[in-house]
Amino acid sequence: YGLGHWVFDLPPVWANVVVLIAACPPGLNAYLIALPYPKAVPLASAGVSLTTGLAVITVSVWLTFLLAH
């Protein structure tokens, strides 16, 4: 938030959007890249599941912070 707001001098809406996008999970790309390597699939799918679950918390916290400022 500070980098976008103070260093790059982004408008507040743009800085907020950048923060929210950064707080989102990586999505399916990690899993799709792991498909050719059978041993990596369970780890990749666990990573996607974990980060998606954690994103619920982090996005909520960032939304609360951004709406307060």
Side-chain angles (χ1 to χ4, degrees), residues 21-51:
I21 289 173
C24 290
L28 229 40
N29 288 340
Y31 177 76
L32 293 175
I33 292 170
L35 280 177
Y37 310 101
K39 289 185 178 182
V41 171
L43 181 62
S45 63
V48 169
S49 299
L50 177 67
T51 57

Side-chain angles (χ1 to χ4, degrees), residues 10-64:
L10 293 174
V13 173
W14 288 26
N16 293 351
V17 169
V18 168
V19 168
L20 288 178
I21 289 173
C24 290
L28 229 40
N29 288 340
Y31 177 76
L32 293 175
I33 292 170
L35 280 177
Y37 310 101
K39 289 185 178 182
V41 171
L43 181 62
S45 63
V48 169
S49 299
L50 177 67
T51 57
T52 300
L54 291 174
V56 171
I57 297 166
T58 58
V59 169
S60 300
V61 169
W62 275 113
L63 273 173
T64 303

